[in-house]
Every structure is written in structure tokens, then in C-alpha cells.
Amino acid sequence: MEVESFLFNIVILSMFVNMAIALYGIFTRPSLIKKIISLTIFSDTVNTLAIVVGFRHAIPNPIPPVVVEIPPSSQYLRLFVSRAVDPLPQALVLTAIVIGLAVVLFLMFTTLQIYRIYGTTDVRKVSKLRG
Amino acid sequence: MVVPDIVHGLVPPMLISFSFITPLLSLIIKSKRFFMVYASLLGLLTSVLSLVIAIDVFREGVVLYPFGGWPPPIGIAYIIDKLNAAIALLAAFIFTLSIISSSVYLRRYQKASTLAYFYTILLAIFTGAMGSLYTGDTFNLFVMMEVMCIGLYTAVAFHRSRAEAVEAAIKYSFVSIIALVLYFFAAVLFYSGFQTLNMADLALKARGNTSGLVSGGFFGNYIADLVFALALTVWVFTLESALVPNHFWLPDAISEAPTPVSAVFPVAESVAVYVIIRYMFTVFGPDSVVAEGRARDTILVILLVLGAIASIVGGIMMAIQRDAKRLLGYSSISHIGFIYMAIGLAFSNSVMHRALTASILHMINYTISSSLLFISLISIESAVGGRNIDDLTGLGRSLPLLGFSITIGVLNLIGIPPLSGFYSKFLIYQAALEASQPIVAVITIVATALTLMGYIKLLYIVFGKPSIGGEKPEKQLAVSIPATVLALLCILLGLSITIGFMNILEEIAASAYSHEQYTEVFYNYMEQLFPR
């Protein structure tokens, strides 16, 4: 039990560290491609954290929030309610992943266009706008 | 049993489906006129629907629309009160006028499919703005903000072979995407602490009433979650509304976007400001848990200080601009600063009512007149082929309607007495004095004086001497009629402020900070479906 909660804390802590590293990558790397990679790491870490929020400690183990017995008996439902993890964060994460896909596609397209126009993806050289 | 009215939830799904049909239609239909009429009719239809919703709300009180029949704390619900109904009506109106005037801007494109893509983007922005205004759900707000912002990035990158446009798009999209991911994180934190995503549910729980709620009680250390999440939310939406120090993307984006899209940027900013008002006053108001540990006061004071800085920085930067659209972008920053100053003044409860009235009135004024100026610029810049303000001098002379509306728009932004821009600045001044913050009152005057330098340049478009042998802009009714309508609206608001419009505004402001009606509708609906 103590080992379990210790490991759980380590997982959450490492996610925050991961977010910090990803943000560092976004703000300091000059290459747009590396910025995009850091951005996907960042948003995926947030998504994973959302999944962890829906996690639930159950003995012996939590089960996925899917009813497999149709029609469910009342005994099965009791077991299900006491052990299933929260499905809502997973639904939120699905939506966020789809949005993230659209956003990354847009970023890739714009980066490609920048490469075509400026001949580089280094943001320090992409500076026609001033003031 | 209350049967929800389909009209209340119709606008965003209708707009997004028509938006996604548009590129498919361009495969079959090759007429440019068709797409203009199609988008304009959709805009008009949405304006009528939002007018109907606003009338319903003002007559019968707060409206709740559950999506797909899922009752509120479980499913997504639209909760529409006077504040969002009024802003959404204004937004729909401005979007419609921008769509109508875009027909002039798009005249240079030969292919009908270009128009189809343009209107797809514009309608997607429209959907996002209306959805984020109407929604009563924290996560749905994130989705709708993403819809709006993805639309805006694509619109900024619309001239994809222009180096500046692509650069502005990448700048804007990177910061905005990071911000919205953080808002998603904040929504998850709200969920982890309060076990709900519904705003009315959050509002009830933030005031400690958990009796009878389907979503149950709190989980874990919810205060820590709440403060962290609220701080993130406020940061994200101040970035989306371009408050200093996160304003750097706005002048680039607004000047490189196609001008009809620049005309809807003020609406997009007002949406973000609305979200801040909604979170800071309706959901986590002065009587909620956040107010106890001074966390809320701190956030509001920070907004006040940043707003004051923004109004001055915007004013100074305006004076040195040569590009007309960029100048208006810095004017946006300055006015967003004024709005946040008014919001920040509401930290003392005694002036909250007046300060919110001032901020809402200033938001309405700023949105109308800034959009008006961008719409007028469509016609003028298409005559010259550039946006350098020296080349535009005197072009408004030969177009009486357009010259009139530009003058009214500029005077409204400065705040000349008969127009409503004066009343909103005066209200901010008064609220600052009432809150015993004389420095803020002085800053409003100083910032207005600073912006004057920039606005005089714009007035030269109308009153300056036209250069000899320069091109004369054509008369374009599709631009001058929307611009004149907005100019007349400015005058009308200013004249009616003493004879009744002020009462409506005060009602709107009251609905922003009193959560009773907002949560009552939710509670009654939930009680009907889940009898305890």
C-alpha cells in the first residue's frame, strides 16, 4: 500500500516535471519543429494528468468504465459502480486529443509555409514584423 | 416539466454544420455571388435567432438548454442570462455586417472556392464566438474557444504566401495553443476539486451549498485546486483578450488578417473578457470561497494594474504606427486595458455595480467602433492597395457615408460627449473615484490623451488633403452601409443612454455579479429530473 501511494506520487510529480521541461523546450528552442514536438509533449502530459485525475483506488484493482454484461445484473452493477474508474476525464481527453490533432496539423502547415518562404525554421531569422 | 426551446440551443450547431458544408458546396457551385448570399443569409438568420433569445431572456429570465436531453450536471447545458444574451446579440450583429462587407474585400479573388474557404473560416469563428458566449459548461467553453481560435489562426494565415502573415500566424497560434492547453488543465482541476464542470453547479458549490446537488460534495484539497485553476483561467483569457504583457500577438495578427476578419477580432477579445467576468463575478463571486483568502482580490488588483499599464502602453505605441490596421490593433490594446481597469475596480464591493456597468458599456462601445473602423478600411485600402496611413490621407473625402462613419467611430473611441464612448470612460472615472483610487482616475484621462495622438492620424483619412493625382476610391455600398449602420448605432447608444439604455446596462451588470437567477434555473431543472 505504501509502495503503491509512493509510486503514484512519483508518477504525478514526474508529470509536472515533464510539463516544465516541455514548456522550457517551447520557449528556448529556436527550431519550430522542436517547438512543435515540445508542444505535443506538453499537451499529452496534460491529457495524461487528466486521466490520472479520473483514477480511483479499488481493491483488488480498478476496472475500465465499460459495462460488458448486457443486460447487466444488479450484482454486476454493484461491482461495476464500486470499482470502475471515472469515465468523464477520458471523454474530455478524447475531445482534447482530436482538437490537438487539428492544432498540430495547422502548426505543421504553417511551419512548412515558413520554410518555403524564409528557407529556415529558425524563429530568430523569421522576423519581418517589427514594433 | 419545462420543455427546452430548441431555438436556444440552435445557433452553434447550425452554424458549424453550414460552415463545414461550404467547401463541399464549392465542388458543385462555381458562382461567387452564391457564397456571398449564402453566408450573409446565415449571418442574418443567426442575428434574428440571437435577437429572439435576447428577447426571451430579457422577458422571462435566465434560459437553460440541455444538449441531447442530458440533464445539466451530467450533460452540456447552455445557460443564457442577460449578460451573454446581450453580448451574443452584439457579436452576431457585427459578424453579419463583417460577412456582408467581406464581399468587397473578396472581389480580387477569381475562384469561387477561395470564397468558400474564406466563409468556412469566418463561419467557424462565428460558431466559436457564439458557442463560448452561450455555454454554461467549463469544458464546452474550452472546445468552443478552440473552434474560435483555430478559425482565427487560419484566418491570419489566409494570405499564405505573404511572409508577414505566416509569421504573425505562427506567433499567435503558438501562444494561444499553449494557453488553451493550460485552460484544459484548469478545467480538469475544476473537475477534480468540485466533481462538476457545469458553471452554475460550480457557482453553487463555490458558495458552499452542496445540499441536493447530484454531483455530490468536494474532493480532496479543493481550495488549492480552485485557486490554481482560477489563476490559470484568468491568465489564459487575459492572453486571449490581449492584455499587457500578453498583447504582443495582437497587432501582428490583427494587421495581417484579412480585413473582414480583423473586424471580428474585437468580438473575439470581448468573448474572452466576458469569460473573465463570468468566472470572476458569477461563478466565483465576492461571496464565494475564493474571496475568503484574499485570492480573488489579488487577482482583481493585478487585472487593475495590468489594465492601467495596457491603456498607457497601447496609447504610446499607437502614436508611432504607420500602418492603419496596426494602429487600430494598438488602439484595441489600449481599450482592452480600459475594460480590465473597470473590472479590476470591482474589487471593492461598494463600487462593483458601477464598475461592471462601466466595463460592459466600454466593451460594447469598443467592439462596435473598432469593428466599424476596420469595416471602413476595407473599402479604403482596396482603393490604394496598401495600408500606410500617409497614403490613405484624404481618401474619406470623396465618400460622404464612409467619411461620416469613420469620424463617428474615431470620436467614439476617443470619447466625445454625445457619443456613448464618453459615458463609458466617465463611468470608469467615477468608479475609480468612488473606489478611492484617484491614480486610476488620472490614468484614464492620461491614457485618453495619449491615444488622441494616434486617432488624429485616422481622422486625417477623412479631413486631410488628398494627394494630387491619387486614386479615388469607388463607392461600395456593401461596405458603406454596414459602416453607417454601426455609426448610427454608436450615436443611438449615446443618445439613449440617458433615456433607458442605462437601466438595461445596469440589469446586465447585475446579472453578471448576482448568481441567484443563474443558479436557480439550473437547480430547478436538476431537481425536476433527479427528484430526491
Side-chain angles (χ1 to χ4, degrees):
Chain A
M1 185 61 218
E2 274 166 8
V3 177
E4 252 177 49
S5 71
F6 175 70
L7 288 178
F8 194 73
N9 286 343
I10 292 262
V11 166
I12 290 188
L13 194 70
S14 67
M15 274 174 195
F16 277 98
V17 173
N18 212 13
M19 273 160 74
I21 292 173
L23 279 178
Y24 172 80
I26 293 171
F27 289 120
T28 57
R29 293 284 102 188
S31 162
L32 276 173
I33 301 288
K34 286 184 181 164
K35 275 181 195 284
I36 292 173
I37 293 171
S38 306
L39 185 70
T40 47
I41 292 175
F42 178 60
S43 62
D44 288 346
T45 316
V46 172
N47 289 346
T48 323
L49 200 66
I51 300 266
V52 171
V53 163
F55 177 77
R56 171 175 183 188
H57 188 77
I59 307 236
N61 62 313
I63 55 172
V66 184
V67 178
V68 285
E69 208 180 285
I70 293 173
S73 62
S74 65
Q75 197 191 354
Y76 175 75
L77 272 184
R78 196 169 294 127
L79 181 80
F80 182 77
V81 168
S82 64
R83 281 174 59 191
V85 297
D86 192 350
L88 195 111
Q90 303 183 5
L92 303 188
V93 165
L94 266 183
T95 319
I97 286 173
V98 173
I99 291 173
L101 174 76
V103 158
V104 169
L105 264 180
F106 172 78
L107 281 178
M108 292 309 289
F109 166 74
T110 319
T111 310
L112 181 63
Q113 203 64 26
I114 280 189
Y115 183 70
R116 280 182 188 148
I117 293 172
Y118 290 89
T120 176
T121 55
D122 188 336
V123 279
R124 288 169 299 189
K125 287 171 189 151
V126 182
S127 53
K128 284 224 167 175
L129 287 165
R130 289 191 192 285
Chain B
M1 181 77 207
V2 185
V3 179
D5 192 345
I6 185 87
V7 172
H8 301 143
L10 188 61
V11 174
M14 178 191 80
L15 278 176
I16 198 72
S17 42
F18 277 111
S19 159
F20 286 161
I21 289 172
T22 321
L24 297 179
L25 284 179
S26 77
L27 295 177
I28 312 165
I29 299 164
K30 302 288 179 200
S31 152
K32 281 169 70 180
R33 182 171 290 273
F34 169 78
F35 287 107
M36 289 168 185
V37 173
Y38 168 83
S40 311
L41 282 181
L42 262 179
L44 283 177
L45 180 61
T46 312
S47 307
V48 171
L49 284 178
S50 56
L51 182 64
V52 169
I53 292 172
I55 289 173
D56 269 10
V57 167
F58 273 87
R59 198 176 281 163
E60 288 158 23
V62 186
V63 160
L64 186 141
Y65 180 83
F67 259 93
W70 292 93
I74 294 173
I76 292 166
Y78 279 7
I79 309 178
I80 307 168
D81 70 346
K82 283 173 185 157
L83 179 66
N84 23 1
I87 298 174
L89 177 60
L90 180 72
F93 188 59
I94 285 173
F95 266 100
T96 312
L97 293 182
S98 153
I99 289 173
I100 292 172
S101 62
S102 67
S103 64
V104 173
Y105 187 83
L106 295 170
R107 200 169 281 171
R108 62 184 89 161
Y109 297 107
Q110 304 300 325
K111 282 203 272 181
S113 59
T114 318
L115 266 73
Y117 290 133
F118 182 81
Y119 286 126
T120 311
I121 297 169
L122 199 52
L123 289 174
I125 303 172
F126 199 174
T127 314
M130 298 302 278
S132 7
L133 285 171
Y134 281 151
T135 192
D137 188 274
T138 317
F139 185 72
N140 192 239
L141 177 66
F142 162 71
V143 175
M144 284 303 175
M145 279 308 284
E146 282 279 12
V147 170
M148 183 173 90
C149 288
I150 292 177
L152 286 174
Y153 318 143
T154 1
V156 173
F158 187 70
H159 300 296
R160 64 176 189 277
S161 46
R162 269 178 67 100
E164 291 91 348
V166 183
E167 189 195 333
I170 201 97
K171 232 181 187 178
Y172 172 33
S173 53
F174 249 107
V175 287
S176 177
I177 287 165
I178 297 168
L180 285 173
V181 170
L182 281 175
Y183 178 64
F184 171 68
F185 184 41
V188 170
L189 283 180
F190 280 133
Y191 180 71
S192 74
F194 287 81
Q195 309 208 55
T196 179
L197 285 168
N198 193 293
M199 286 186 192
D201 207 356
L202 279 179
L204 276 177
K205 282 190 170 179
R207 281 151 179 103
N209 316 326
T210 50
S211 61
L213 292 180
V214 172
S215 52
F218 304 103
F219 183 81
N221 186 359
Y222 71 98
I223 301 275
D225 276 352
L226 168 62
V227 172
F228 190 35
L230 193 62
L232 278 181
T233 311
V234 168
W235 182 79
V236 168
F237 286 97
T238 48
L239 189 143
E240 296 297 337
S241 56
L243 181 67
V244 166
N246 298 318
H247 67 290
F248 52 88
W249 58 270
L250 181 81
D252 299 341
I254 213 166
S255 62
E256 291 308 325
T259 318
V261 177
S262 313
V264 300
F265 256 99
V267 180
E269 285 158 36
S270 323
V271 170
V273 174
Y274 154 78
V275 174
I276 297 269
I277 294 181
R278 181 57 90 211
Y279 268 110
M280 293 305 295
F281 293 94
T282 316
V283 180
F284 301 110
D287 47 351
S288 65
V289 239
V290 204
E292 278 164 17
R294 287 202 157 272
R296 190 171 168 278
D297 284 358
T298 316
I299 293 176
L300 286 176
V301 169
I302 290 173
L303 288 184
L304 175 66
V305 172
L306 290 182
I309 297 172
S311 63
I312 287 180
V313 167
I316 292 172
M317 290 301 282
M318 256 175 89
I320 56 170
Q321 298 305 316
R322 305 182 62 80
D323 180 334
K325 277 169 79 177
R326 222 178 156 73
L327 192 151
L328 281 174
Y330 280 106
S331 128
S332 290
I333 290 167
S334 165
H335 283 275
I336 287 292
F338 275 109
I339 297 167
Y340 276 109
M341 250 202 283
I343 292 175
L345 281 174
F347 71 87
S348 60
N349 286 343
S350 53
V351 288
M352 190 165 66
H353 182 72
R354 192 184 293 278
L356 275 180
T357 316
S359 70
I360 292 165
L361 179 58
H362 199 78
M363 189 154 90
I364 294 172
N365 282 330
Y366 152 69
T367 313
I368 293 176
S369 27
S370 198
S371 303
L372 154 67
L373 290 174
F374 277 117
I375 288 176
S376 322
L377 274 180
I378 294 176
S379 169
I380 291 176
E381 73 169 344
S382 70
V384 185
R387 303 191 301 255
N388 196 325
I389 210 152
D390 300 329
D391 301 342
L392 302 179
T393 308
L395 287 178
R397 269 196 179 182
S398 48
L399 302 168
L401 274 181
L402 215 55
F404 164 75
S405 32
I406 290 178
T407 317
I408 294 293
V410 172
L411 292 184
N412 196 24
L413 283 178
I414 298 173
I416 300 290
L419 301 166
S420 54
F422 166 73
Y423 292 100
S424 57
K425 282 187 182 172
F426 183 64
L427 274 175
I428 296 173
Y429 179 81
Q430 234 178 344
L433 286 187
E434 255 178 62
S436 52
Q437 300 285 341
I439 301 172
V440 179
V442 172
I443 284 175
T444 53
I445 296 170
V446 172
T448 309
L450 282 174
T451 54
L452 212 57
M453 293 188 285
Y455 287 130
I456 295 294
K457 284 189 185 176
L458 283 178
L459 281 181
Y460 268 110
I461 298 178
V462 187
F463 297 108
K465 242 187 197 156
S467 57
I468 303 149
E471 282 184 50
K472 284 263 162 69
E474 304 165 52
K475 214 173 216 166
Q476 275 145 342
L477 285 183
V479 166
S480 50
I481 288 177
T484 317
V485 167
L486 283 175
L488 289 178
L489 192 63
C490 286
I491 298 176
L492 193 73
L493 288 186
L495 292 181
S496 64
I497 214 151
T498 45
I499 51 163
F501 181 55
M502 203 60 204
N503 296 337
I504 299 176
L505 268 177
E506 283 182 353
E507 276 178 34
I508 293 173
S511 78
Y513 65 79
S514 60
H515 69 287
E516 284 84 9
Q517 287 179 323
Y518 192 79
T519 49
E520 196 190 350
V521 175
F522 160 77
Y523 194 83
N524 291 343
Y525 199 91
M526 190 188 66
E527 225 174 19
Q528 273 174 1
L529 290 167
F530 301 99
R532 288 281 160 114

